[in-house]
Amino acid sequence: MTRFKSTSLLNKIESAPPDRILGLTDIFNKDANPKKVNLTVGIYKDNFGKVATFPSVKRAQDLVNKNYQSFQSLTYLPINGNQDYSKNVLDFIWNDSCQGLAHNYLLNDKINFVQTLSGTGAVALAAKFLSKFISKTIWVPNYSWSNHLNIFKENGFQYIKPYNYYDDSNGTISVDEWLSNLKLNRSQTDITSPQCILLHACCHNPTGIDPTKEQWKTIINTIYELNMVPIIDMAYQGLESGNLIDDAYLLRTCLSKGDWPNGLYLCQSFAKNMGLYGERVGSLSIVTPLNSNSNTNLNIDSQLKPIIRSFYSSPPGYGSHVANQVLLNKDLKLQWFNDVQNMVNRLKIIRLNLFNNLKWHDLIDFERQHGMFYFTRFTLKQVHHLRNKYAIYLTDDGRLSLSGINDSNIDYVSEALYEVAKL
């Protein structure tokens, strides 16, 4: 008998490029230079270079660990997540943070809410839902978190269009060009067919530059008039001003416009502002019009559940219990607000110290420069030179994570940045 011989299709699979951020950490870990500095990943580190747990979160962990049996131990959560967590996060985001503007939506059950695998899971879930039911076109800023394009591409969006957010020539936001891009496109297409747009709530990643509040009003007015569907990625609430409530101004601006016909989508994370990175704690909220059908939200919920079921079945429990304790306990919540303010104060000190060494004035433009990232505008050649000669690692687009700088390395980093800037 002759056996049919075939070549395995597995052999035709090509190697994918490494992740643009996490792949650099692998290279950094293998670097033998004792002076090496990792300024790539968006993780907050203290002045000793450690990823320290916030005091509020540590106290919440102690409470959870002490009473873990009462949280049903290691059993599965429901598909849409921890119900206590859902209640308290809804209250924090749409009540506290929105200062009453979402009251009618909460009162009339017009906000669908699910616990997600941090902000990444929220964006992926929103993308899958929107591409299935609303639109397959999305606009993304010309600089954005490197994983955004990957998420939208892998979750059903067929058309991913860049809008001019950042002007490389002068290091500022080009709002006029941004809105011109959108208006020109909509004048050439059917305005009744909705298109989605990704917005960074604050502390834009990677540039660190945000529109002013007045500019945001103009932007939101235009997006609303063009019948677009806003997807807000709020990964850094609190890291702009140090005040968690103040930093939700984009949500308040959107709610002030009134109903969004195809929904307002908020992707939220406690990774950065609670330091719950590995616990993957976040949420997706979908705000539907007040005049939507009585069964609209029930139908949306019924469609979100099978998507979640196909992704990861149900979210993890421990981190949601910790976040819930922080939000539920008044003392812990106050401590959390202080923890976030302390984090932002340290990031501002780093900016000031770098400015004293480098005299780069945009480092301390606190009206527009926010958060843990600074955009050096270094070319790829400069980034590689910085890495190869000084073992200082930035992402390839020139993004610098400020919290990786501390008293022990700031002089070395400043000297290297100064020299590479001359190239």
Side-chain angles (χ1 to χ4, degrees):
M1 180 184 290
T2 303
R3 191 172 183 178
F4 180 72
K5 208 172 177 180
S6 66
T7 302
S8 172
L9 294 176
L10 296 174
N11 294 327
K12 297 183 179 182
I13 298 174
E14 298 179 354
S15 175
D19 185 89
R20 288 172 58 187
I21 298 175
L22 300 181
L24 288 172
T25 299
D26 294 335
I27 299 172
F28 172 84
N29 290 335
K30 297 174 184 176
D31 195 323
N33 190 325
K35 291 186 174 181
K36 65 182 180 180
V37 183
N38 189 354
L39 304 179
T40 62
V41 183
I43 295 179
Y44 178 75
K45 298 178 182 178
D46 63 20
N47 197 41
F48 301 99
K50 304 295 183 183
V51 184
T53 303
F54 291 173
S56 57
V57 173
K58 178 63 172 67
R59 290 173 60 193
Q61 282 184 288
D62 291 342
L63 288 171
V64 171
N65 295 340
K66 182 179 178 181
N67 302 297
Y68 203 61
Q69 289 301 319
S70 66
F71 299 120
Q72 296 184 315
S73 190
L74 301 178
T75 57
Y76 290 120
L77 291 181
I79 293 174
N80 56 357
N82 179 336
Q83 299 307 298
D84 290 335
Y85 168 88
S86 299
K87 176 180 178 298
N88 287 304
V89 177
L90 262 173
D91 187 56
F92 169 67
I93 295 174
W94 298 106
N95 201 357
D96 293 353
S97 299
C98 289
Q99 300 174 339
L101 289 170
H103 174 74
N104 287 335
Y105 295 97
L106 291 169
L107 186 66
N108 292 283
D109 292 324
K110 295 299 183 181
I111 303 179
N112 285 88
F113 182 95
V114 291
Q115 179 186 337
T116 61
L117 298 181
S118 203
T120 305
V123 175
L125 179 57
K128 193 73 173 180
F129 177 84
L130 283 162
S131 67
K132 188 174 182 180
F133 296 106
I134 306 297
S135 174
K136 293 187 183 296
T137 300
I138 186 165
W139 289 79
V140 178
N142 61 350
Y143 283 100
S144 198
W145 179 44
S146 59
N147 201 25
H148 276 143
L149 295 180
N150 180 46
I151 291 171
F152 293 120
K153 177 183 176 183
E154 295 295 331
N155 286 286
F157 277 91
Q158 296 178 356
Y159 308 101
I160 302 175
K161 302 182 178 184
Y163 60 82
N164 287 322
Y165 180 87
Y166 182 80
D167 187 340
D168 282 298
S169 65
N170 56 25
T172 62
I173 295 176
S174 48
V175 174
D176 290 341
E177 279 191 63
W178 169 0
L179 299 185
S180 293
N181 293 157
L182 302 181
K183 290 175 181 177
L184 178 62
N185 171 77
R186 297 307 271 164
S187 69
Q188 298 171 343
T189 57
D190 178 11
I191 197 168
T192 63
S193 176
Q195 296 184 1
C196 302
I197 183 167
L198 176 69
L199 306 172
H200 294 230
C202 62
C203 305
H204 181 269
N205 179 8
T207 69
I209 303 179
D210 298 312
T212 65
K213 291 181 176 63
E214 286 304 311
Q215 287 175 323
W216 268 125
K217 289 179 183 178
T218 302
I219 293 163
I220 295 305
N221 285 342
T222 301
I223 291 171
Y224 189 84
E225 290 164 6
L226 294 175
N227 191 36
M228 302 189 81
V229 183
I231 307 171
I232 300 174
D233 189 348
M234 192 166 70
Y236 302 97
Q237 183 183 4
L239 272 70
E240 174 177 331
S241 66
N243 186 305
L244 287 147
I245 304 304
D246 286 354
D247 286 3
Y249 56 82
L250 182 54
L251 295 189
R252 295 192 292 272
T253 303
C254 288
L255 289 171
S256 295
K257 283 303 300 177
D259 283 342
W260 292 80
N262 293 293
L264 171 66
Y265 298 74
L266 174 68
C267 306
Q268 173 267 342
S269 168
F270 287 120
K272 304 298 191 295
N273 61 18
M274 273 193 196
L276 294 173
Y277 304 101
E279 296 301 330
R280 316 310 292 145
V281 187
S283 68
L284 170 65
S285 297
I286 303 176
V287 183
T288 56
L290 288 171
N291 64 355
S292 58
N293 295 336
S294 59
N295 60 344
T296 295
N297 287 70
L298 290 174
N299 292 342
I300 290 172
D301 185 66
S302 74
Q303 293 291 350
L304 289 172
K305 284 179 178 176
I307 298 173
I308 294 170
R309 186 74 167 137
S310 70
F311 276 1
Y312 52 85
S313 193
S314 63
Y318 182 78
S320 68
H321 293 312
V322 173
N324 191 50
Q325 286 298 313
V326 172
L327 296 171
L328 187 62
N329 185 301
K330 289 183 180 180
D331 289 339
L332 292 188
K333 193 173 181 180
L334 180 60
Q335 176 68 61
W336 176 44
F337 275 56
N338 290 333
D339 293 340
V340 171
Q341 183 66 69
N342 290 337
M343 175 169 54
V344 171
N345 289 344
R346 184 175 118 68
L347 292 172
K348 287 183 177 180
I349 289 171
I350 294 168
R351 288 181 180 274
L352 286 166
N353 289 340
L354 278 177
F355 170 75
N356 290 335
N357 290 343
L358 298 170
K359 305 304 180 190
W360 294 352
H361 289 275
D362 59 339
L363 272 165
I364 55 172
D365 179 5
F366 293 122
E367 182 182 16
R368 296 172 187 252
Q369 270 281 347
H370 309 128
M372 63 169 58
F373 300 125
Y374 173 74
F375 212 46
T376 62
R377 284 192 284 159
F378 283 177
T379 64
L380 185 59
K381 182 178 179 180
Q382 287 172 297
V383 170
H384 285 177
H385 186 74
L386 188 68
R387 188 183 309 165
N388 296 332
K389 183 173 181 179
Y390 298 98
I392 295 175
Y393 287 71
L394 311 184
T395 54
D396 283 348
D397 56 14
R399 188 193 77 176
L400 182 156
S401 183
L402 290 162
S403 74
I405 299 173
N406 53 58
D407 289 349
S408 68
N409 64 27
I410 188 168
D411 290 338
Y412 176 67
V413 170
S414 297
E415 178 185 350
L417 293 175
Y418 182 80
E419 291 300 323
V420 170
K422 295 179 185 177
L423 296 178

PDB file of all heavy atoms in Angstrom, residues 133-159:
ATOM      1  N   PHE A 133     -22.232  44.598  14.768  1.00  0.00           N
ATOM      2  CA  PHE A 133     -23.579  45.166  14.733  1.00  0.00           C
ATOM      3  C   PHE A 133     -23.670  46.614  14.223  1.00  0.00           C
ATOM      4  O   PHE A 133     -24.740  47.031  13.798  1.00  0.00           O
ATOM      5  CB  PHE A 133     -24.206  45.113  16.132  1.00  0.00           C
ATOM      6  CG  PHE A 133     -24.424  43.727  16.655  1.00  0.00           C
ATOM      7  CD1 PHE A 133     -23.603  43.211  17.641  1.00  0.00           C
ATOM      8  CD2 PHE A 133     -25.435  42.929  16.145  1.00  0.00           C
ATOM      9  CE1 PHE A 133     -23.793  41.930  18.124  1.00  0.00           C
ATOM     10  CE2 PHE A 133     -25.638  41.648  16.616  1.00  0.00           C
ATOM     11  CZ  PHE A 133     -24.808  41.140  17.610  1.00  0.00           C
ATOM     12  N   ILE A 134     -22.589  47.386  14.308  1.00  0.00           N
ATOM     13  CA  ILE A 134     -22.714  48.821  14.036  1.00  0.00           C
ATOM     14  C   ILE A 134     -21.901  49.286  12.836  1.00  0.00           C
ATOM     15  O   ILE A 134     -22.404  49.954  11.942  1.00  0.00           O
ATOM     16  CB  ILE A 134     -22.298  49.651  15.281  1.00  0.00           C
ATOM     17  CG1 ILE A 134     -23.091  49.216  16.514  1.00  0.00           C
ATOM     18  CG2 ILE A 134     -22.474  51.141  15.011  1.00  0.00           C
ATOM     19  CD1 ILE A 134     -24.581  49.432  16.426  1.00  0.00           C
ATOM     20  N   SER A 135     -20.612  48.964  12.797  1.00  0.00           N
ATOM     21  CA  SER A 135     -19.748  49.506  11.750  1.00  0.00           C
ATOM     22  C   SER A 135     -18.475  48.677  11.637  1.00  0.00           C
ATOM     23  O   SER A 135     -18.014  48.092  12.622  1.00  0.00           O
ATOM     24  CB  SER A 135     -19.378  50.954  12.082  1.00  0.00           C
ATOM     25  OG  SER A 135     -18.440  51.470  11.158  1.00  0.00           O
ATOM     26  N   LYS A 136     -17.908  48.662  10.443  1.00  0.00           N
ATOM     27  CA  LYS A 136     -16.614  47.993  10.242  1.00  0.00           C
ATOM     28  C   LYS A 136     -15.523  48.996   9.895  1.00  0.00           C
ATOM     29  O   LYS A 136     -14.459  48.629   9.391  1.00  0.00           O
ATOM     30  CB  LYS A 136     -16.739  46.926   9.145  1.00  0.00           C
ATOM     31  CG  LYS A 136     -17.642  45.753   9.541  1.00  0.00           C
ATOM     32  CD  LYS A 136     -17.601  44.649   8.511  1.00  0.00           C
ATOM     33  CE  LYS A 136     -18.560  43.518   8.872  1.00  0.00           C
ATOM     34  NZ  LYS A 136     -18.170  42.839  10.127  1.00  0.00           N
ATOM     35  N   THR A 137     -15.796  50.276  10.177  1.00  0.00           N
ATOM     36  CA  THR A 137     -14.825  51.340   9.902  1.00  0.00           C
ATOM     37  C   THR A 137     -14.501  52.067  11.193  1.00  0.00           C
ATOM     38  O   THR A 137     -15.414  52.451  11.938  1.00  0.00           O
ATOM     39  CB  THR A 137     -15.376  52.353   8.875  1.00  0.00           C
ATOM     40  OG1 THR A 137     -15.662  51.675   7.651  1.00  0.00           O
ATOM     41  CG2 THR A 137     -14.373  53.465   8.617  1.00  0.00           C
ATOM     42  N   ILE A 138     -13.225  52.265  11.447  1.00  0.00           N
ATOM     43  CA  ILE A 138     -12.812  53.003  12.641  1.00  0.00           C
ATOM     44  C   ILE A 138     -11.665  53.939  12.304  1.00  0.00           C
ATOM     45  O   ILE A 138     -10.793  53.626  11.494  1.00  0.00           O
ATOM     46  CB  ILE A 138     -12.405  52.044  13.787  1.00  0.00           C
ATOM     47  CG1 ILE A 138     -12.128  52.864  15.058  1.00  0.00           C
ATOM     48  CG2 ILE A 138     -11.207  51.176  13.413  1.00  0.00           C
ATOM     49  CD1 ILE A 138     -12.066  52.045  16.320  1.00  0.00           C
ATOM     50  N   TRP A 139     -11.699  55.097  12.948  1.00  0.00           N
ATOM     51  CA  TRP A 139     -10.629  56.086  12.837  1.00  0.00           C
ATOM     52  C   TRP A 139      -9.782  56.022  14.109  1.00  0.00           C
ATOM     53  O   TRP A 139     -10.309  56.013  15.221  1.00  0.00           O
ATOM     54  CB  TRP A 139     -11.223  57.488  12.672  1.00  0.00           C
ATOM     55  CG  TRP A 139     -11.869  57.691  11.329  1.00  0.00           C
ATOM     56  CD1 TRP A 139     -13.099  57.257  10.935  1.00  0.00           C
ATOM     57  CD2 TRP A 139     -11.313  58.370  10.207  1.00  0.00           C
ATOM     58  NE1 TRP A 139     -13.352  57.623   9.644  1.00  0.00           N
ATOM     59  CE2 TRP A 139     -12.265  58.317   9.170  1.00  0.00           C
ATOM     60  CE3 TRP A 139     -10.108  59.028   9.976  1.00  0.00           C
ATOM     61  CZ2 TRP A 139     -12.045  58.887   7.916  1.00  0.00           C
ATOM     62  CZ3 TRP A 139      -9.890  59.597   8.732  1.00  0.00           C
ATOM     63  CH2 TRP A 139     -10.852  59.541   7.719  1.00  0.00           C
ATOM     64  N   VAL A 140      -8.473  55.995  13.906  1.00  0.00           N
ATOM     65  CA  VAL A 140      -7.512  55.870  15.010  1.00  0.00           C
ATOM     66  C   VAL A 140      -6.473  56.970  14.847  1.00  0.00           C
ATOM     67  O   VAL A 140      -6.062  57.280  13.722  1.00  0.00           O
ATOM     68  CB  VAL A 140      -6.843  54.474  14.980  1.00  0.00           C
ATOM     69  CG1 VAL A 140      -5.810  54.336  16.085  1.00  0.00           C
ATOM     70  CG2 VAL A 140      -7.896  53.378  15.109  1.00  0.00           C
ATOM     71  N   PRO A 141      -6.002  57.615  15.949  1.00  0.00           N
ATOM     72  CA  PRO A 141      -4.989  58.664  15.801  1.00  0.00           C
ATOM     73  C   PRO A 141      -3.714  58.141  15.148  1.00  0.00           C
ATOM     74  O   PRO A 141      -3.366  56.960  15.284  1.00  0.00           O
ATOM     75  CB  PRO A 141      -4.734  59.129  17.237  1.00  0.00           C
ATOM     76  CG  PRO A 141      -5.270  58.060  18.118  1.00  0.00           C
ATOM     77  CD  PRO A 141      -6.377  57.413  17.359  1.00  0.00           C
ATOM     78  N   ASN A 142      -3.014  59.049  14.421  1.00  0.00           N
ATOM     79  CA  ASN A 142      -1.834  58.614  13.674  1.00  0.00           C
ATOM     80  C   ASN A 142      -0.700  58.126  14.580  1.00  0.00           C
ATOM     81  O   ASN A 142       0.196  57.412  14.135  1.00  0.00           O
ATOM     82  CB  ASN A 142      -1.326  59.724  12.748  1.00  0.00           C
ATOM     83  CG  ASN A 142      -0.907  60.984  13.490  1.00  0.00           C
ATOM     84  OD1 ASN A 142      -1.146  61.129  14.690  1.00  0.00           O
ATOM     85  ND2 ASN A 142      -0.282  61.919  12.791  1.00  0.00           N
ATOM     86  N   TYR A 143      -0.736  58.495  15.856  1.00  0.00           N
ATOM     87  CA  TYR A 143       0.063  57.835  16.876  1.00  0.00           C
ATOM     88  C   TYR A 143      -0.909  57.322  17.926  1.00  0.00           C
ATOM     89  O   TYR A 143      -1.764  58.062  18.415  1.00  0.00           O
ATOM     90  CB  TYR A 143       1.059  58.789  17.536  1.00  0.00           C
ATOM     91  CG  TYR A 143       2.278  59.082  16.693  1.00  0.00           C
ATOM     92  CD1 TYR A 143       2.364  60.259  15.959  1.00  0.00           C
ATOM     93  CD2 TYR A 143       3.329  58.179  16.623  1.00  0.00           C
ATOM     94  CE1 TYR A 143       3.473  60.537  15.185  1.00  0.00           C
ATOM     95  CE2 TYR A 143       4.453  58.446  15.855  1.00  0.00           C
ATOM     96  CZ  TYR A 143       4.522  59.620  15.135  1.00  0.00           C
ATOM     97  OH  TYR A 143       5.627  59.885  14.372  1.00  0.00           O
ATOM     98  N   SER A 144      -0.786  56.039  18.254  1.00  0.00           N
ATOM     99  CA  SER A 144      -1.653  55.453  19.265  1.00  0.00           C
ATOM    100  C   SER A 144      -0.907  54.293  19.907  1.00  0.00           C
ATOM    101  O   SER A 144       0.171  53.896  19.446  1.00  0.00           O
ATOM    102  CB  SER A 144      -2.966  54.965  18.641  1.00  0.00           C
ATOM    103  OG  SER A 144      -3.978  54.772  19.616  1.00  0.00           O
ATOM    104  N   TRP A 145      -1.458  53.768  20.988  1.00  0.00           N
ATOM    105  CA  TRP A 145      -0.896  52.571  21.608  1.00  0.00           C
ATOM    106  C   TRP A 145      -0.745  51.504  20.535  1.00  0.00           C
ATOM    107  O   TRP A 145      -1.663  51.258  19.761  1.00  0.00           O
ATOM    108  CB  TRP A 145      -1.833  52.115  22.716  1.00  0.00           C
ATOM    109  CG  TRP A 145      -1.436  50.876  23.447  1.00  0.00           C
ATOM    110  CD1 TRP A 145      -0.192  50.552  23.897  1.00  0.00           C
ATOM    111  CD2 TRP A 145      -2.300  49.793  23.824  1.00  0.00           C
ATOM    112  NE1 TRP A 145      -0.225  49.325  24.534  1.00  0.00           N
ATOM    113  CE2 TRP A 145      -1.502  48.840  24.502  1.00  0.00           C
ATOM    114  CE3 TRP A 145      -3.659  49.551  23.667  1.00  0.00           C
ATOM    115  CZ2 TRP A 145      -2.026  47.671  25.020  1.00  0.00           C
ATOM    116  CZ3 TRP A 145      -4.189  48.381  24.182  1.00  0.00           C
ATOM    117  CH2 TRP A 145      -3.382  47.460  24.852  1.00  0.00           C
ATOM    118  N   SER A 146       0.420  50.883  20.472  1.00  0.00           N
ATOM    119  CA  SER A 146       0.731  49.989  19.355  1.00  0.00           C
ATOM    120  C   SER A 146      -0.234  48.821  19.244  1.00  0.00           C
ATOM    121  O   SER A 146      -0.428  48.268  18.158  1.00  0.00           O
ATOM    122  CB  SER A 146       2.166  49.463  19.493  1.00  0.00           C
ATOM    123  OG  SER A 146       2.343  48.751  20.711  1.00  0.00           O
ATOM    124  N   ASN A 147      -0.884  48.433  20.330  1.00  0.00           N
ATOM    125  CA  ASN A 147      -1.790  47.288  20.295  1.00  0.00           C
ATOM    126  C   ASN A 147      -3.178  47.638  19.759  1.00  0.00           C
ATOM    127  O   ASN A 147      -3.953  46.739  19.421  1.00  0.00           O
ATOM    128  CB  ASN A 147      -1.924  46.672  21.694  1.00  0.00           C
ATOM    129  CG  ASN A 147      -2.415  45.235  21.678  1.00  0.00           C
ATOM    130  OD1 ASN A 147      -2.238  44.518  20.696  1.00  0.00           O
ATOM    131  ND2 ASN A 147      -3.026  44.806  22.764  1.00  0.00           N
ATOM    132  N   HIS A 148      -3.496  48.934  19.673  1.00  0.00           N
ATOM    133  CA  HIS A 148      -4.830  49.319  19.196  1.00  0.00           C
ATOM    134  C   HIS A 148      -5.109  48.777  17.792  1.00  0.00           C
ATOM    135  O   HIS A 148      -6.165  48.180  17.541  1.00  0.00           O
ATOM    136  CB  HIS A 148      -4.981  50.836  19.200  1.00  0.00           C
ATOM    137  CG  HIS A 148      -5.376  51.401  20.533  1.00  0.00           C
ATOM    138  ND1 HIS A 148      -4.890  52.603  20.998  1.00  0.00           N
ATOM    139  CD2 HIS A 148      -6.204  50.925  21.506  1.00  0.00           C
ATOM    140  CE1 HIS A 148      -5.410  52.841  22.199  1.00  0.00           C
ATOM    141  NE2 HIS A 148      -6.210  51.845  22.515  1.00  0.00           N
ATOM    142  N   LEU A 149      -4.182  48.994  16.869  1.00  0.00           N
ATOM    143  CA  LEU A 149      -4.401  48.545  15.492  1.00  0.00           C
ATOM    144  C   LEU A 149      -4.576  47.033  15.446  1.00  0.00           C
ATOM    145  O   LEU A 149      -5.427  46.515  14.711  1.00  0.00           O
ATOM    146  CB  LEU A 149      -3.231  48.973  14.605  1.00  0.00           C
ATOM    147  CG  LEU A 149      -3.035  50.476  14.411  1.00  0.00           C
ATOM    148  CD1 LEU A 149      -1.843  50.739  13.504  1.00  0.00           C
ATOM    149  CD2 LEU A 149      -4.288  51.120  13.837  1.00  0.00           C
ATOM    150  N   ASN A 150      -3.774  46.339  16.224  1.00  0.00           N
ATOM    151  CA  ASN A 150      -3.852  44.885  16.283  1.00  0.00           C
ATOM    152  C   ASN A 150      -5.233  44.432  16.764  1.00  0.00           C
ATOM    153  O   ASN A 150      -5.852  43.530  16.192  1.00  0.00           O
ATOM    154  CB  ASN A 150      -2.761  44.358  17.212  1.00  0.00           C
ATOM    155  CG  ASN A 150      -2.764  42.850  17.341  1.00  0.00           C
ATOM    156  OD1 ASN A 150      -2.857  42.138  16.347  1.00  0.00           O
ATOM    157  ND2 ASN A 150      -2.656  42.367  18.564  1.00  0.00           N
ATOM    158  N   ILE A 151      -5.736  45.085  17.812  1.00  0.00           N
ATOM    159  CA  ILE A 151      -7.038  44.719  18.374  1.00  0.00           C
ATOM    160  C   ILE A 151      -8.152  44.915  17.354  1.00  0.00           C
ATOM    161  O   ILE A 151      -8.991  44.032  17.137  1.00  0.00           O
ATOM    162  CB  ILE A 151      -7.329  45.536  19.649  1.00  0.00           C
ATOM    163  CG1 ILE A 151      -6.386  45.118  20.787  1.00  0.00           C
ATOM    164  CG2 ILE A 151      -8.785  45.356  20.087  1.00  0.00           C
ATOM    165  CD1 ILE A 151      -6.470  46.017  22.010  1.00  0.00           C
ATOM    166  N   PHE A 152      -8.182  46.088  16.712  1.00  0.00           N
ATOM    167  CA  PHE A 152      -9.274  46.363  15.770  1.00  0.00           C
ATOM    168  C   PHE A 152      -9.187  45.467  14.529  1.00  0.00           C
ATOM    169  O   PHE A 152     -10.205  44.989  14.028  1.00  0.00           O
ATOM    170  CB  PHE A 152      -9.282  47.837  15.380  1.00  0.00           C
ATOM    171  CG  PHE A 152      -9.643  48.738  16.526  1.00  0.00           C
ATOM    172  CD1 PHE A 152      -8.765  49.710  16.977  1.00  0.00           C
ATOM    173  CD2 PHE A 152     -10.850  48.603  17.181  1.00  0.00           C
ATOM    174  CE1 PHE A 152      -9.088  50.529  18.048  1.00  0.00           C
ATOM    175  CE2 PHE A 152     -11.192  49.412  18.253  1.00  0.00           C
ATOM    176  CZ  PHE A 152     -10.302  50.371  18.686  1.00  0.00           C
ATOM    177  N   LYS A 153      -7.977  45.203  14.089  1.00  0.00           N
ATOM    178  CA  LYS A 153      -7.796  44.336  12.926  1.00  0.00           C
ATOM    179  C   LYS A 153      -8.266  42.922  13.224  1.00  0.00           C
ATOM    180  O   LYS A 153      -8.922  42.283  12.392  1.00  0.00           O
ATOM    181  CB  LYS A 153      -6.320  44.329  12.521  1.00  0.00           C
ATOM    182  CG  LYS A 153      -5.998  43.409  11.353  1.00  0.00           C
ATOM    183  CD  LYS A 153      -4.505  43.398  11.065  1.00  0.00           C
ATOM    184  CE  LYS A 153      -4.167  42.395   9.964  1.00  0.00           C
ATOM    185  NZ  LYS A 153      -2.697  42.314   9.730  1.00  0.00           N
ATOM    186  N   GLU A 154      -7.942  42.420  14.408  1.00  0.00           N
ATOM    187  CA  GLU A 154      -8.258  41.028  14.752  1.00  0.00           C
ATOM    188  C   GLU A 154      -9.708  40.842  15.199  1.00  0.00           C
ATOM    189  O   GLU A 154     -10.148  39.714  15.407  1.00  0.00           O
ATOM    190  CB  GLU A 154      -7.323  40.542  15.870  1.00  0.00           C
ATOM    191  CG  GLU A 154      -5.857  40.477  15.480  1.00  0.00           C
ATOM    192  CD  GLU A 154      -5.569  39.448  14.387  1.00  0.00           C
ATOM    193  OE1 GLU A 154      -6.314  38.455  14.312  1.00  0.00           O
ATOM    194  OE2 GLU A 154      -4.618  39.659  13.617  1.00  0.00           O
ATOM    195  N   ASN A 155     -10.438  41.945  15.355  1.00  0.00           N
ATOM    196  CA  ASN A 155     -11.810  41.833  15.867  1.00  0.00           C
ATOM    197  C   ASN A 155     -12.850  42.435  14.934  1.00  0.00           C
ATOM    198  O   ASN A 155     -13.846  42.995  15.374  1.00  0.00           O
ATOM    199  CB  ASN A 155     -11.899  42.454  17.263  1.00  0.00           C
ATOM    200  CG  ASN A 155     -11.257  41.570  18.312  1.00  0.00           C
ATOM    201  OD1 ASN A 155     -11.803  40.541  18.698  1.00  0.00           O
ATOM    202  ND2 ASN A 155     -10.074  41.962  18.768  1.00  0.00           N
ATOM    203  N   GLY A 156     -12.603  42.302  13.637  1.00  0.00           N
ATOM    204  CA  GLY A 156     -13.672  42.517  12.671  1.00  0.00           C
ATOM    205  C   GLY A 156     -13.684  43.824  11.913  1.00  0.00           C
ATOM    206  O   GLY A 156     -14.498  43.984  10.993  1.00  0.00           O
ATOM    207  N   PHE A 157     -12.811  44.780  12.250  1.00  0.00           N
ATOM    208  CA  PHE A 157     -12.830  46.044  11.505  1.00  0.00           C
ATOM    209  C   PHE A 157     -12.085  45.873  10.183  1.00  0.00           C
ATOM    210  O   PHE A 157     -10.918  45.495  10.162  1.00  0.00           O
ATOM    211  CB  PHE A 157     -12.225  47.174  12.337  1.00  0.00           C
ATOM    212  CG  PHE A 157     -13.215  47.781  13.297  1.00  0.00           C
ATOM    213  CD1 PHE A 157     -13.337  47.280  14.584  1.00  0.00           C
ATOM    214  CD2 PHE A 157     -14.046  48.809  12.906  1.00  0.00           C
ATOM    215  CE1 PHE A 157     -14.266  47.807  15.475  1.00  0.00           C
ATOM    216  CE2 PHE A 157     -14.986  49.349  13.779  1.00  0.00           C
ATOM    217  CZ  PHE A 157     -15.088  48.848  15.065  1.00  0.00           C
ATOM    218  N   GLN A 158     -12.769  46.184   9.095  1.00  0.00           N
ATOM    219  CA  GLN A 158     -12.179  46.037   7.761  1.00  0.00           C
ATOM    220  C   GLN A 158     -11.453  47.290   7.312  1.00  0.00           C
ATOM    221  O   GLN A 158     -10.537  47.218   6.489  1.00  0.00           O
ATOM    222  CB  GLN A 158     -13.277  45.684   6.759  1.00  0.00           C
ATOM    223  CG  GLN A 158     -13.935  44.332   7.016  1.00  0.00           C
ATOM    224  CD  GLN A 158     -15.058  44.028   6.043  1.00  0.00           C
ATOM    225  OE1 GLN A 158     -15.414  44.866   5.205  1.00  0.00           O
ATOM    226  NE2 GLN A 158     -15.627  42.838   6.149  1.00  0.00           N
ATOM    227  N   TYR A 159     -11.868  48.437   7.844  1.00  0.00           N
ATOM    228  CA  TYR A 159     -11.271  49.708   7.423  1.00  0.00           C
ATOM    229  C   TYR A 159     -10.777  50.455   8.661  1.00  0.00           C
ATOM    230  O   TYR A 159     -11.579  50.878   9.504  1.00  0.00           O
ATOM    231  CB  TYR A 159     -12.291  50.552   6.659  1.00  0.00           C
ATOM    232  CG  TYR A 159     -12.954  49.799   5.532  1.00  0.00           C
ATOM    233  CD1 TYR A 159     -14.236  49.282   5.685  1.00  0.00           C
ATOM    234  CD2 TYR A 159     -12.287  49.581   4.324  1.00  0.00           C
ATOM    235  CE1 TYR A 159     -14.847  48.567   4.666  1.00  0.00           C
ATOM    236  CE2 TYR A 159     -12.886  48.868   3.302  1.00  0.00           C
ATOM    237  CZ  TYR A 159     -14.164  48.360   3.474  1.00  0.00           C
ATOM    238  OH  TYR A 159     -14.754  47.649   2.474  1.00  0.00           O
TER     239      TYR A 159
END
